[in-house]
Amino acid sequence: KRLVKMDWKAMWKTTGLLKERSGKSRLWLMADMLRCAIKYNAGYIDYKIAQMYRLNDAQRATVITRGISNSIVRRMNDKAYWHFFDDKTQFNALFREYIPRKWLLITPDTELAALEDITAGQTQLIGKPLEGSSGQGILKFTQEDWAKGPAAFKALLLEKGIGILEEIVVQHPDMASLCPTSVNTCRIATLLGDKKQGIVYAFLRIGNGKVMDNVGCGGMAAPINLDTGVISGVGANKAGEVYEFHPMTGKRIPGTQIPYWEEVKAMCLKAMHVVPQVRFVAWDVAITQDGPVFIEGNSFPSHAIPQFAAHFPDGIGILPRFEEFIDL
């Protein structure tokens, strides 16, 4: 099925990029990609992100590829309960204890008085589609957008496909110092495993000039030490670029302490029991002056964020961490 749906043009472009990086021939790379697809269930994006061309068989077996990630999600997460995470209004309602900001469902039936209420005293608001991932469709709105009244603003929101309107989260100054254009969120993955329960991994997602910090929108990720809450590695993005210092702010990424780290972990460890039918969740947590808050939870976590090659210089990937929680 994957071969039929393959974007061959993108794959060809990827092999060209990897040819320059690895010094290996295009034919060798394509043959090796096919071998990894068969043996490790790896797509060409997995191959690129984890730089599998530099790994031996033992190292490759520790990479969490798309196929392996999909199988974990299918096994751990009952699809009948995904809607609590996929629908952002349902998530906000269910986890309201950890979401202190105002928000409003946007439909043709949304009352104009409710729109007036949420815009009152605000200079900016965030609009999102009800469902979606990778930051797609998220837009920032300003006073100019609702200056013509709630009816015109409602029409604009519906035209842009906005399903939920939220107050802006004001992040902790230490988090803003890395990149002030986006709310830089902690991606915390929890797993209610058969062998063990808890946090599998933690990364900080950092923006690079856009409103979103998503790696699918040009952002980067950096690993967080689970015990200390200190960023333990460089920032890296999907293009394979590596940053010790943020290119916009000059702030050094490794060594940065995440504020309220113990509170962040406690919040995720408590929340993972709210919908026990969804056992593997990636939580996006923002840090404010008053502590951590949820942005969203993901019932189908991206396997790209915890698998950038720059974070595994010894070539041993993240799969052994999952094996502490479940049998694979």
Side-chain angles (χ1 to χ4, degrees), residues 175-192:
M175 306 301 287
S177 69
L178 287 163
C179 178
T181 64
S182 62
V183 177
N184 307 303
T185 57
C186 299
R187 169 62 62 93
I188 315 287
T190 58
L191 184 56
L192 291 167

Side-chain angles (χ1 to χ4, degrees), residues 8 26 47 66 83 87 93 103 126 128 158 167-168 191 198 219 224-225 230 286 295 320 322-323 326:
W8 293 99
R26 211 166 203 159
Y47 189 91
R66 178 181 176 182
H83 61 90
D87 184 314
W103 58 273
I126 287 287
K128 307 174 183 177
L158 293 173
E167 283 186 319
I168 295 282
L191 184 56
I224 303 172
N225 182 291
V230 174
I295 299 298
F322 281 86
E323 291 173 329
I326 57 176

Side-chain angles (χ1 to χ4, degrees), residues 209-224:
K210 295 185 179 180
V211 175
M212 292 81 68
D213 61 354
N214 305 71
V215 296
C217 296
M220 64 189 79
I224 303 172

Side-chain angles (χ1 to χ4, degrees), residues 59 62-64 306-307 312 314-321:
Q59 292 168 322
T62 67
V63 174
I64 181 167
Q307 200 55 77
F312 301 91
D314 61 357
I316 303 300
I318 205 166
L319 204 56
R321 296 193 202 173

Side-chain angles (χ1 to χ4, degrees), residues 25-76:
S25 73
R26 211 166 203 159
L27 183 61
W28 186 95
L29 287 164
M30 292 193 74
D32 198 46
M33 280 184 186
L34 181 60
R35 180 171 177 270
C36 287
I38 294 168
K39 190 168 183 178
Y40 306 106
N41 222 333
Y44 69 87
I45 301 230
D46 300 328
Y47 189 91
K48 169 188 170 185
I49 288 174
Q51 296 179 8
M52 294 181 80
Y53 54 82
R54 71 185 177 95
L55 306 179
N56 59 39
D57 283 355
Q59 292 168 322
R60 288 173 172 182
T62 67
V63 174
I64 181 167
T65 62
R66 178 181 176 182
I68 295 171
S69 176
N70 289 357
S71 68
I72 292 172
V73 171
R74 282 196 302 268
R75 181 173 144 203
M76 294 288 107

